[in-house]
Amino acid sequence: MVRLPLTPAEVERGRRLGLVLRRARGQRSMLSTALDAGVSPETLRKIESGRVATPAFPTIAAIADVLGLSLDAVWSEINQSDGWVDLARPAPCAGEQLAS
């Protein structure tokens, strides 16, 4: 399976995700946070540094839970300056026009 390169928007969203998690972690150690979330410290380090821009949902959910973060708040924070796609709406079929 070939993984497509990330778009600049995905890379930026990953960077913002890392900032949100790092800020929420505060003075708490990376090791204890990672272990409490059930992920490796290396995984948490890569997410916080933006090197893993699209981590798995269960990973982010576990880290957010340990840090007391709402997933809605995380999503809102990382998408605040994006023209992000509304995932609740189906994408238009080929040839369909988007409603204004």
Side-chain angles (χ1 to χ4, degrees):
M1 182 169 110
V2 175
R3 185 176 171 130
L4 297 174
L6 297 175
T7 66
E10 289 170 324
V11 171
E12 177 59 23
R13 196 168 34 242
R15 187 190 66 75
R16 285 195 304 264
L17 173 62
L19 290 173
V20 167
L21 296 178
R22 196 166 44 250
R23 184 174 59 227
R25 186 168 55 81
Q27 296 300 313
R28 184 176 178 161
S29 81
M30 188 176 286
L31 178 62
S32 70
T33 302
L35 294 177
D36 288 348
V39 301
S40 74
E42 180 67 10
T43 296
L44 180 56
R45 186 181 67 74
K46 286 179 180 179
I47 293 169
E48 284 189 357
S49 69
R51 287 185 44 215
V52 175
T54 57
F57 177 78
T59 301
I60 295 308
I63 296 168
D65 183 52
V66 165
L67 296 175
L69 294 173
S70 152
L71 289 174
D72 288 335
V74 171
W75 181 250
S76 176
E77 183 84 17
I78 67 174
N79 286 293
Q80 64 184 327
S81 64
D82 269 353
W84 61 282
V85 176
D86 182 355
L87 298 177
R89 290 181 41 194
C93 295
E96 281 186 12
Q97 294 285 327
L98 286 175
S100 303

